[in-house]
Amino acid sequence: MAKRTKYVKPEHREILTAEVLASKRLSPNFVRVTIGGEGLAGYTSMGFDQWFRLFMPGKDGNLRLPTSASSLGWYAQYLMMGKETRPVVRNYTVRDYRAAGFGEFGSSAEIDIDFVSHGDDSPASTWANNATPGDRIGLLDEGIMYQAPDHCAFSLLVGDESALPAIAGSLRSAPRELKGAAFIEIPHADDAQELNEPEGVQVNWVVREDAHAETGTAVANAVRTADIPSAGVYAFIAGEQKLASGVRRHLAQEREIPKADITFTGYWRVGKAAG
Ligand SMILES: Cc1cc2nc3c(=O)[nH]c(=O)nc-3n(C[C@H](O)[C@H](O)[C@H](O)COP(=O)(O)OP(=O)(O)OC[C@H]3O[C@@H](n4cnc5c(N)ncnc54)[C@H](O)[C@@H]3O)c2cc1C
């Protein structure tokens, strides 16, 4: 059984190794990298927005992984490694999981990761753009954050492109009778994807018309004018830090959604590398 706290955490923590099986450009701003290999046998899929820490080769091109997987242990070991040899570590979401025997590229389990392509000085985005079959990575499962309480019959999911995989996974795993709405800001109309959402959930793609506009402004405006029930709403908000905190503030203060019924996470911050 997974551990249920504020979030659902995996029962067993271990840094798994995997290798790139395939990569392809999905749309103007997304690259999909599929990883697999025998190391993924230890991975347990939980669905929803299940996310993980992705360990990529460091500056010297080698992949050096911590041996501890406890939340403080791996980070302490990471800090002890020299700046040249420590791995690049970033957070990503499982866009799709296929169990061993059901893969597209071989007999092992497979995980698809959808990376936003967002600039050259960004190690994870750059790694994804250049990922080649056989490249090795490490993966530390961190569980799921989406947790609609039983008293909420309506789910509101809000995010930018970095949260598209989390919203897609949550809608795919949600009960088919769920009612709700999703608002997803994307840089280009062609970045929209099929989401397999329940019939009662309306998906709204909010295209950032102005390429220079701050990420999150358009989707926050869309939520402000959206028709949302006055009670029984669970909200899941993820993406750029200001988007997440701004939409949460609006929902809590103006829509009076109890803070306990809102999950919000800053996935990245303008002008600040995550490492
Ligand atoms: C739980 C969780 C799940 C996530 N899942 C995904 C996922 O499935 N797919 C995904 O693409 N991202 C996802 N992210 C976001 C991802 O971890 C960050 O975008 C990360 O900073 C990317 O690392 P990087 O090395 O490419 O850029 P960094 O080195 O971290 O940043 C370099 C520069 O790029 C900017 N930047 C970072 N991310 C973005 C972005 N998305 N758009 C525009 N500019 C950016 C920063 O502000 C900085 O100026 C997730 C984050 C969390 C916390």
Side-chain angles (χ1 to χ4, degrees):
M1 264 281 289
K3 286 178 198 150
R4 184 173 285 272
T5 55
K6 187 180 170 202
Y7 303 124
V8 184
K9 286 288 181 188
E11 185 187 13
H12 175 66
R13 286 180 71 87
E14 183 186 354
I15 299 181
L16 305 174
T17 53
E19 64 184 79
V20 172
L21 300 180
S23 83
K24 65 174 175 190
R25 179 151 291 275
L26 276 187
S27 65
N29 296 284
F30 276 102
V31 170
R32 174 165 298 168
V33 178
T34 303
I35 55 168
E38 294 314 310
L40 280 193
Y43 179 80
T44 304
S45 171
M46 292 195 261
F48 292 92
D49 62 317
Q50 190 167 2
W51 65 284
F52 56 90
R53 296 188 197 277
L54 174 64
F55 295 79
M56 292 155 278
K59 284 188 181 149
D60 64 356
N62 295 319
L63 180 66
R64 202 163 160 229
L65 297 173
T67 50
S68 168
S70 73
S71 30
L72 295 178
W74 78 260
Y75 190 59
Q77 289 183 348
Y78 163 87
L79 291 178
M80 302 267 286
M81 294 177 197
K83 284 196 173 157
E84 293 301 313
T85 54
R86 66 171 60 142
V88 170
V89 188
R90 297 288 187 271
N91 302 323
Y92 281 87
T93 305
V94 175
R95 178 64 179 88
D96 204 359
Y97 167 80
R98 293 175 291 280
F102 295 88
E104 286 176 13
F105 301 97
S107 55
S108 73
E110 293 176 0
I111 288 175
D112 290 337
I113 313 165
D114 284 2
F115 289 81
V116 175
S117 293
H118 60 83
D120 295 337
D121 201 14
S122 310
S125 170
T126 304
W127 177 86
N129 284 333
N130 296 296
T132 310
D135 290 352
R136 288 177 62 248
I137 55 98
L139 178 157
L140 177 58
D141 181 15
E142 290 287 358
I144 62 182
M145 294 194 241
Y146 178 100
Q147 281 202 73
D150 289 342
H151 62 267
C152 294
F154 187 100
S155 279
L156 174 69
L157 300 99
V158 183
D160 61 20
E161 60 269 36
S162 68
L164 195 167
I167 294 176
S170 300
L171 290 179
R172 188 182 43 217
S173 299
R176 292 299 88 184
E177 63 275 16
L178 181 76
K179 301 265 179 287
F183 290 84
I184 309 165
E185 183 175 306
I186 45 177
H188 193 286
D190 290 346
D191 290 316
Q193 297 181 11
E194 296 240 340
L195 296 192
N196 192 8
E197 70 274 19
E199 226 177 87
V201 175
Q202 192 192 28
V203 175
N204 304 279
W205 296 102
V206 182
V207 179
R208 201 155 52 235
E209 301 289 352
D210 175 0
H212 301 293
E214 246 183 51
T215 302
T217 308
V219 80
N221 288 341
V223 171
R224 247 176 229 115
T225 53
D227 195 9
I228 299 165
S230 55
V233 177
Y234 165 69
F236 175 91
I237 316 161
E240 204 283 320
Q241 178 69 41
K242 268 202 273 172
L243 178 169
S245 55
V247 172
R248 174 184 186 253
R249 199 175 317 113
H250 163 71
L251 294 178
Q253 291 179 359
E254 288 155 56
R255 306 281 191 150
E256 296 182 353
I257 297 177
K259 284 185 180 159
D261 295 341
I262 303 176
T263 302
F264 81 114
T265 316
Y267 272 12
W268 62 280
R269 237 186 213 191
V270 172
K272 191 168 186 310

